[in-house]
Amino acid sequence: MLGFLQRPVVVTADINLNVVALTAVGLLSRLWRLSYPRAVVFDEVYYGQYISFYMKRIFFLDGSGPPLGHMLLALGGYLGGFDGNFLWNRIGAEYSSNVPVWSLRLLPALAGALSVPMAYQIVWELRFSHCAAMGAALLVLIENALITQARLMLLESVLIFFNLLAVLSYLKLCNSQKHGPFSLSWWFWLTLTGVACSCAVGIKYMGVFTYLLVLGVAAVHAWHLIGDRTLSNVCVLCHLLARAVALLVIPVIMYLLFFYVHLVLLCRSGPHDQIMSSAFQASLEGGLARITQGQPLEVAYGSQVTLRNVFGKPVPCWLHSHQNTYPMIYENGRGSSHQQQVTCYPFKDVNNWWIVKDPGRHQLVVNSPPRPVRHGDIVQLVHGMTTRLLNTHDVAAPLSPHSQEVSCYIDYNISMPAQNLWRLDIVNRESSTEVWKTILSEVRFVHVNTSAILKLSGAHLPDWGFRQLEVVGEKLSPGYHESMVWNVEEHRYGRSQEQKERELELHSPTQMDLSRNLSFMARFSELQAQIHLLGNIVIWVSASLATVVYALLLCWYLLRRRRSICDLPEDSWLRWVLAGALCAGGWAVNYLPFFLMEKTLFLYHYLPALTFQILLLPVVLQHISDHLCRSQLQRSLFSALVVAWYSCACHVFNTLRPLTYGDKSLSPGELRALRWKESWDILIRKHQ
């Protein structure tokens, strides 16, 4: 039983020295003088703010993408001991001594460095030669734009890393499928494919393009598995279920996990939580949670409340009134009721307070015990500071003539009776006797006389309305819309019947205690120096030409095969098609969607697409050498041409290196000399 102790334990491993060497030079190219320049460069001014928020656990919302990328950058700051204290307000600002620049830029640099050996592995897994694989890695290594982007506190290099990891993992899966399906390595690569896809989407929404590409290729392979008669029905079903779990279920779970960690980390109120719902804000420490701490949960007759519109667009706002009235005659000649204005005001104000009144009683205080308001009850809303009742009638709204005017009723002793009864409709109720709850209940106010619904139109009133937002009675409502829904944000039980005492009460803060716990799923549903970013012109042009050449050759081969003429052996043809699907397809899905987007585009938006183009370039070069060069002489000449071309790419890299690393101060004349277009124009003018 102890026989194994009589023999030495021997572990053997195959080490690809090409991968080791590429990893080493990749790390050198991305990590060399990483903390230089010690100043804020380009979008570091934005990502740095988010890192500071993470360090201080302050909630923020970034509409550009999910939180995984920001959390990875913040991890670098955490490992470097960053306390979050730095004012990110200006590009070019010098970093203070407490900012660990090297640590903050480390993860993007590592991702960029590891992309170099990964490019080698992808081309090798496509079953092309070591020479082609080394060529792809070399191009990624010396591409100036990729280097620049990887050496800063930015996310493109991390996105590219996970894009490549997803493709590489899937290729590893396909190759292990031939030798040992359902083996330990097979499950590893399948799971890693799903994890890498979810991480790509978690970095930036652009990652979904590569995810869809991998899903598309996997769907084609699954279709072929279904048609494989050598596999049993049970085996095919197991293949499909495994792929569904790894490529669909795991990415969804991980995507939710990213937001879960994000929301757990950011538990304090910050500058961005105003655009979130009242319930979301109340779940954060400080801010609204501090204001609403201790509020009564159930709204009762006599409650003093502020009503926030759930829609929150164009800006978050609260139901508001003031003593000013609507003009007698509008600028377009239409008349108004000349009643007190009711608006939606985007700032907290004492005039946002309303009292929930029982129409059958005169008192404006809460009974003991409180009598809660329920779904379907008829209520009146009394403006706290002016004691006038919320009213609507058959008078056109100032800016929305097809809707009714909403006002606070003033009795002018004319034939215009008050119409101030509203039926409470709790939209998210669980029963017909649901109690109106602070923050949690989303309610509509339905006018009893006209069936109009209190609604935020979103239009800004003219100067006579102080540019506040118009509130109307929407009589012809086609269906449910959030602009018709309101929730109680601040709430207290009214204790003062006299107006003077009530005004003092309305000005005072609430002091009662009640915690707010909003579920994760509910919160998740609201969210979803002289350095120049210059690309290596030789690589960019050549990669674009390779894409065109691939497309032309593919069309030519397809036409020939349609005529039953097979120019390539079957294994070479399948390898050619798969390489195009992943490399040319990766370029297409990461580039073409931008033509449909109305947004400002920067050079870095193209880098994920460029990376796939770079992988395609040596594939096309090897294909030309192996299948289109007929003689040994042609192959020799073509190889010499490729070597010369690689030398030109290396020369351009070295020429642009001062701008890529920013390690050398350049004069204006030296900068102009590096601009190839201006240099070309000068050269042309000299020869004219």
Side-chain angles (χ1 to χ4, degrees):
M1 190 173 77
L2 300 178
F4 72 93
L5 295 177
Q6 301 174 2
R7 296 184 300 271
V9 178
V10 178
V11 177
T12 60
D14 293 329
I15 299 177
N16 189 330
L17 294 181
N18 288 344
V19 174
V20 174
L22 288 172
T23 304
V25 294
L27 290 171
L28 179 63
S29 67
R30 269 64 175 178
L31 295 180
W32 184 69
R33 298 192 67 185
L34 185 60
S35 59
Y36 183 85
R38 195 176 172 83
V40 179
V41 181
F42 193 49
D43 276 356
E44 286 187 334
V45 72
Y46 301 111
Y47 291 114
Q49 295 178 37
Y50 303 141
I51 294 173
S52 290
F53 286 145
Y54 274 114
M55 297 299 102
K56 298 178 180 180
R57 306 194 68 178
I58 295 175
F59 173 78
F60 70 89
L61 180 66
D62 177 24
S64 67
L68 177 61
H70 303 98
M71 289 193 291
L72 290 177
L73 295 179
L75 176 62
Y78 175 78
L79 295 176
F82 183 41
D83 56 8
N85 292 321
F86 182 77
L87 185 60
W88 307 89
N89 63 347
R90 181 172 59 87
I91 295 175
E94 292 289 332
Y95 285 121
S96 56
S97 58
N98 69 307
V99 181
V101 181
W102 193 87
S103 297
L104 289 171
R105 292 173 177 171
L106 177 60
L107 286 177
L110 290 177
L114 294 178
S115 297
V116 176
M118 214 176 305
Y120 171 91
Q121 291 276 56
I122 288 174
V123 176
W124 174 243
E125 290 295 329
L126 285 169
R127 295 295 183 255
F128 287 88
S129 66
H130 280 288
C131 184
M134 285 294 292
L138 178 61
L139 293 176
V140 175
L141 176 69
I142 65 174
E143 212 302 296
N144 297 77
L146 294 180
I147 295 174
T148 301
Q149 205 70 17
R151 289 173 49 81
L152 300 174
M153 196 194 312
L154 307 173
L155 292 179
E156 273 63 37
S157 65
V158 187
L159 172 63
I160 291 170
F161 169 79
F162 283 113
N163 283 345
L164 296 181
L165 181 61
V167 172
L168 175 60
S169 301
Y170 187 76
L171 288 173
K172 291 277 191 181
L173 169 71
C174 293
N175 292 329
S176 62
Q177 169 81 19
K178 303 171 185 177
H179 305 102
F182 301 110
S183 63
L184 187 61
S185 64
W186 185 90
W187 280 109
F188 173 78
W189 292 117
L190 178 60
T191 305
L192 186 58
T193 302
V195 170
C197 288
S198 61
C199 289
V201 178
I203 297 296
K204 282 194 172 185
Y205 289 125
M206 289 170 55
V208 76
F209 301 142
T210 301
Y211 179 37
L212 293 176
L213 172 68
V214 173
L215 282 181
V217 175
V220 172
H221 287 169
W223 183 253
H224 288 305
L225 281 174
I226 294 173
D228 189 349
R229 301 293 295 177
T230 63
L231 300 177
S232 65
N233 292 340
V234 175
C235 184
V236 171
L237 180 61
C238 290
H239 273 290
L240 296 179
L241 288 177
R243 284 162 170 76
V245 171
L247 302 182
L248 296 176
V249 177
I250 289 180
V252 170
I253 293 175
M254 290 199 62
Y255 186 78
L256 293 175
L257 181 63
F258 300 151
F259 279 92
Y260 179 80
V261 175
H262 173 75
L263 293 173
V264 168
L265 291 175
L266 305 184
C267 59
R268 295 172 181 162
S269 175
H272 294 172
D273 54 322
Q274 284 295 320
I275 64 176
M276 310 306 293
S277 69
S278 301
F280 192 103
Q281 294 181 54
S283 69
L284 302 172
E285 298 175 7
L288 182 62
R290 176 177 51 80
I291 296 173
T292 60
Q293 183 180 14
Q295 292 186 153
L297 177 62
E298 296 183 347
V299 177
Y301 290 106
S303 286
Q304 300 169 355
V305 299
T306 62
L307 294 166
R308 174 177 169 164
N309 189 266
V310 171
F311 190 44
K313 295 180 181 179
V315 291
C317 62
W318 292 262
L319 190 66
H320 176 94
S321 186
H322 38 245
Q323 292 186 347
N324 300 73
T325 60
Y326 291 109
M328 288 287 291
I329 302 295
Y330 297 126
E331 294 178 354
N332 58 9
R334 291 191 297 110
S336 77
S337 66
H338 200 49
Q339 299 281 340
Q340 181 172 303
Q341 297 175 17
V342 171
T343 65
C344 207
Y345 189 50
F347 301 98
K348 294 184 182 297
D349 186 83
V350 70
N351 281 314
N352 297 346
W353 284 93
W354 300 81
I355 303 171
V356 181
K357 179 180 177 297
D358 183 349
R361 300 188 180 187
H362 293 290
Q363 66 184 40
L364 298 178
V365 296
V366 176
N367 292 335
S368 182
R371 191 158 56 94
V373 183
R374 300 181 182 274
H375 169 73
D377 285 355
I378 305 299
V379 300
Q380 292 175 313
L381 293 177
V382 182
H383 187 240
M385 297 301 293
T386 62
T387 67
R388 295 195 172 110
L389 280 73
L390 187 70
N391 182 85
T392 187
H393 41 215
D394 192 15
V395 175
L399 302 181
S400 306
H402 297 293
S403 301
Q404 293 182 181
E405 175 192 88
V406 175
S407 61
C408 279
Y409 183 74
I410 302 175
D411 188 2
Y412 288 120
N413 197 23
I414 58 176
S415 57
M416 185 179 287
Q419 300 181 34
N420 47 40
L421 300 179
W422 302 85
R423 186 178 73 254
L424 184 73
D425 177 24
I426 302 179
V427 176
N428 59 343
R429 64 185 180 276
E430 296 180 358
S431 69
S432 58
T433 58
E434 179 89 13
V435 174
W436 187 7
K437 296 184 178 67
T438 305
I439 292 180
L440 304 178
S441 294
E442 297 181 348
V443 303
R444 297 192 305 174
F445 296 98
V446 183
H447 192 237
V448 173
N449 298 76
T450 63
S451 298
I453 300 174
L454 190 69
K455 176 184 176 182
L456 169 67
S457 75
H460 286 271
L461 294 170
D463 291 340
W464 54 258
F466 307 101
R467 310 298 299 175
Q468 297 174 17
L469 298 174
E470 181 190 43
V471 173
V472 301
E474 184 64 54
K475 192 170 184 179
L476 302 175
S477 55
Y480 166 80
H481 192 269
E482 288 185 335
S483 60
M484 304 176 181
V485 182
W486 308 78
N487 71 269
V488 172
E489 187 169 271
E490 297 180 59
H491 175 211
R492 63 164 63 91
Y493 283 161
R495 303 298 182 189
S496 304
Q497 182 68 25
E498 296 296 326
Q499 176 64 12
K500 293 291 185 181
E501 296 177 1
R502 188 162 56 247
E503 289 183 10
L504 293 175
E505 191 175 55
L506 291 172
H507 279 92
S508 64
T510 54
Q511 298 293 336
M512 290 168 272
D513 188 17
L514 181 69
S515 63
R516 299 280 178 239
N517 292 311
L518 192 65
S519 69
F520 160 68
M521 289 305 299
R523 297 165 75 192
F524 170 78
S525 63
E526 292 193 35
L527 298 173
Q528 262 48 12
Q530 278 194 26
I531 290 183
H532 297 250
L533 184 62
L534 294 176
N536 190 314
I537 186 68
V538 174
I539 296 177
W540 285 56
V541 172
S542 302
S544 299
L545 289 175
T547 305
V548 174
V549 170
Y550 179 88
L552 293 175
L553 286 175
L554 180 64
C555 293
W556 173 254
Y557 290 146
L558 288 173
L559 290 173
R560 299 265 291 176
R561 291 175 73 88
R562 186 64 178 168
R563 300 288 297 173
S564 300
I565 303 173
C566 297
D567 299 289
L568 301 176
E570 191 62 22
D571 61 334
S572 298
W573 167 250
L574 294 177
R575 189 172 64 219
W576 175 252
V577 171
L578 180 59
L582 291 175
C583 299
W587 167 80
V589 299
N590 283 282
Y591 175 58
L592 298 180
F594 285 107
F595 285 96
L596 305 177
M597 301 180 187
E598 295 183 359
K599 60 179 292 185
T600 302
L601 299 178
F602 294 92
L603 188 63
Y604 61 77
H605 286 118
Y606 186 69
L607 295 183
L610 172 69
T611 306
F612 283 100
Q613 266 192 322
I614 290 175
L615 297 179
L616 183 65
L617 178 53
V619 168
V620 172
L621 293 177
Q622 180 180 336
H623 181 82
I624 294 174
S625 176
D626 292 348
H627 299 285
L628 300 184
C629 294
R630 302 298 183 183
S631 65
Q632 185 62 40
L633 178 61
Q634 290 178 339
R635 291 192 183 94
S636 299
L637 291 175
F638 182 75
S639 299
L641 186 63
V642 170
V643 171
W645 171 82
Y646 267 101
S647 300
C648 290
C650 292
H651 174 71
V652 172
F653 161 74
N654 188 61
T655 302
L656 297 180
R657 188 187 59 79
L659 298 182
T660 300
Y661 289 92
D663 59 346
K664 177 183 176 183
S665 298
L666 300 176
S667 66
E670 290 174 319
L671 278 174
R672 284 193 296 271
L674 291 175
R675 294 173 181 166
W676 64 271
K677 185 178 183 302
E678 290 186 11
S679 301
W680 182 259
D681 291 341
I682 293 172
L683 184 63
I684 292 177
R685 285 196 295 269
K686 284 183 177 179
H687 288 81
Q688 286 179 343

